Amino acid sequence: MKVLVLALLVCVAAAAATRFDDIDAISEEFDQDWDDWKTAHGKSYPTKKEEIKRRVIWENNLATIQHHNLQASLGKHSFTIGMNKFGDMLNSEFVEMMNGFVQPEEDEKIKSRQTFMPPLNVELPASVDWRTQGYVTPVKDQGQCGSCWAFSATGSLEGQTFRKTGKLPSLSEQNLVDCSQKQGNEGCNGGLMDAAFQYVATNGGIDSEASYPYVAKDQTCAYKVADNSATDSGFADIQSGNETALQAAVATVGPISIAIDASSILFQLYSSGVYVDPFCKNGPSDLDHGVLAVGYGTDSGKDFWIVKNSWAASWGEKGYIRMARNRNNQCGVATLPSYPLV
């Protein structure tokens, strides 16, 4: 049974002491880079004061990127970070807005639970990538809404639906955001993948993305039976903290919903490589972001999970991150994994 009382984590920003209204903190040498970045990401600000604040944060994050990547070039890190669309946000702001994995207070709302039993006498492959087998839809974008849990849940259900039917639907995250409150989810304020699977089982299905498009805000439930595109009978949890069991599930079942600690500025600005963060936490109460494990492998001796995120394809490795595997359940990748039963 999963026991977790979780609000969104807030990480202390490295530049907390900076005065964000101080125009003297801005370096003119980055003027063109700043303008190019704003243009690339469609950024504009309501006041000059707000733009100065965002520019100072952006330059602080740029300094973090330069320092980290210098160390990476010297072999001290196995991954790089880079300026992306989140570059003008404090880490605390980012975590509060984007990381929305929470556990319903009443666990009895989650009823249709089974436990995954790893198959016996099965030799697991050295690497798996379900993207190449048709199990995974293109990377989506949750926008400024803490609905990561919904994207993780649809990703896992899409994969299991393909496994059963040979057809890959794109399912509606907005359906889950708007309609699964009775199971304990809170829309853009957070939720849990298991509660999403429970909703689909109780509701008898979930609509397609095309029929119930994503708008990144809470709305009144508008599910239509006629647009139902997938269903499940419940879900299975995987033994908590056991990366071997998670590997077996990914290899034999398909994409698996997982929750992680994504509260670091390094995760916010991740660009490429195998993400090894020794400061990541892995306890149930430390997890703040729902994502999808779609495979695993090894790169230059470093084992990794292939993880699909929901921050658009412009983030990370075309919307994905390779997270450290077999490093004591780093970032909690194997703490609360599950998948729907289709």
Side-chain angles (χ1 to χ4, degrees), residues 16-33:
T18 302
R19 283 189 56 194
F20 298 117
D21 60 349
D22 185 3
I23 195 169
D24 293 331
I26 292 175
S27 175
E28 292 183 359
E29 68 175 300
F30 297 122
D31 283 352
Q32 188 61 55
D33 293 326

Side-chain angles (χ1 to χ4, degrees), residues 130-162:
W130 290 113
R131 295 175 296 183
T132 66
Q133 304 299 316
Y135 279 64
V136 185
T137 57
V139 172
K140 303 178 183 182
D141 188 357
Q142 69 186 71
Q144 296 183 352
C145 168
S147 55
C148 56
W149 57 274
F151 287 82
S152 174
T154 57
S156 194
L157 183 53
E158 288 164 352
Q160 290 307 295
T161 302
F162 178 82

Side-chain angles (χ1 to χ4, degrees), residues 37 41 57-59 61-62 65 81-88 269:
W37 178 84
H41 297 288
I57 294 170
W58 181 87
E59 289 195 21
N61 285 339
L62 184 61
I65 291 166
I81 60 177
M83 186 56 67
N84 57 32
K85 63 180 179 178
F86 306 121
D88 63 347
L269 300 174

Side-chain angles (χ1 to χ4, degrees), residues 207-230:
D207 284 347
S208 68
E209 188 87 59
S211 67
Y212 200 152
Y214 185 69
V215 296
K217 62 181 180 180
D218 297 323
Q219 299 182 130
T220 301
C221 182
Y223 168 79
K224 295 180 181 178
V225 174
D227 296 321
N228 187 7
S229 297

Side-chain angles (χ1 to χ4, degrees), residues 266-288:
L266 301 179
F267 195 97
Q268 175 181 337
L269 300 174
Y270 169 82
S271 179
S272 65
V274 179
Y275 184 77
V276 178
D277 185 352
F279 298 104
C280 257
K281 298 179 180 179
N282 60 19
S285 62
D286 300 315
L287 310 181
D288 66 352

Side-chain angles (χ1 to χ4, degrees), residues 172-190:
S172 174
E173 294 79 23
Q174 195 66 47
N175 187 168
L176 297 176
V177 168
D178 294 343
C179 305
S180 62
Q181 283 78 8
K182 288 184 179 180
Q183 287 70 38
N185 289 328
E186 300 175 7
C188 284
N189 291 319

Side-chain angles (χ1 to χ4, degrees), residues 12-254:
V12 177
T18 302
R19 283 189 56 194
F20 298 117
D21 60 349
D22 185 3
I23 195 169
D24 293 331
I26 292 175
S27 175
E28 292 183 359
E29 68 175 300
F30 297 122
D31 283 352
Q32 188 61 55
D33 293 326
W34 170 246
D35 289 340
D36 291 345
W37 178 84
K38 287 192 299 178
T39 299
H41 297 288
K43 296 281 186 172
S44 62
Y45 305 98
T47 65
K48 186 65 176 179
K49 182 178 180 180
E50 179 66 15
E51 177 157 359
I52 290 171
K53 174 182 178 180
R54 295 299 156 190
R55 171 70 179 269
V56 173
I57 294 170
W58 181 87
E59 289 195 21
N60 286 337
N61 285 339
L62 184 61
T64 298
I65 291 166
Q66 292 171 335
H67 176 71
H68 175 91
N69 289 348
L70 174 60
Q71 289 187 320
S73 71
L74 298 173
K76 294 184 178 181
H77 300 293
S78 57
F79 68 100
T80 62
I81 60 177
M83 186 56 67
N84 57 32
K85 63 180 179 178
F86 306 121
D88 63 347
M89 298 178 70
L90 291 170
N91 184 242
S92 57
E93 296 176 314
F94 174 81
V95 169
E96 185 174 1
M97 178 180 295
M98 301 301 294
N99 296 358
F101 176 82
V102 296
Q103 174 85 1
E105 292 183 5
E106 298 180 37
D107 199 48
E108 61 266 23
K109 293 177 181 178
I110 310 300
K111 300 175 181 179
S112 303
R113 175 184 286 112
Q114 296 185 22
T115 301
F116 169 72
M117 300 299 293
L120 299 176
N121 302 318
V122 173
E123 184 175 349
L124 301 179
S127 63
V128 169
D129 188 346
W130 290 113
R131 295 175 296 183
T132 66
Q133 304 299 316
Y135 279 64
V136 185
T137 57
V139 172
K140 303 178 183 182
D141 188 357
Q142 69 186 71
Q144 296 183 352
C145 168
S147 55
C148 56
W149 57 274
F151 287 82
S152 174
T154 57
S156 194
L157 183 53
E158 288 164 352
Q160 290 307 295
T161 302
F162 178 82
R163 183 188 184 200
K164 182 175 182 179
T165 68
K167 297 180 180 180
L168 180 67
S170 183
L171 300 176
S172 174
E173 294 79 23
Q174 195 66 47
N175 187 168
L176 297 176
V177 168
D178 294 343
C179 305
S180 62
Q181 283 78 8
K182 288 184 179 180
Q183 287 70 38
N185 289 328
E186 300 175 7
C188 284
N189 291 319
L192 174 71
M193 290 77 79
D194 283 3
F197 300 145
Q198 179 70 60
Y199 161 77
V200 174
T202 302
N203 188 58
I206 180 175
D207 284 347
S208 68
E209 188 87 59
S211 67
Y212 200 152
Y214 185 69
V215 296
K217 62 181 180 180
D218 297 323
Q219 299 182 130
T220 301
C221 182
Y223 168 79
K224 295 180 181 178
V225 174
D227 296 321
N228 187 7
S229 297
T231 191
D232 66 58
S233 60
F235 58 93
D237 290 336
I238 298 163
Q239 183 181 357
S240 180
N242 188 332
E243 288 193 74
T244 301
L246 178 57
Q247 180 184 1
V250 171
T252 62
V253 173

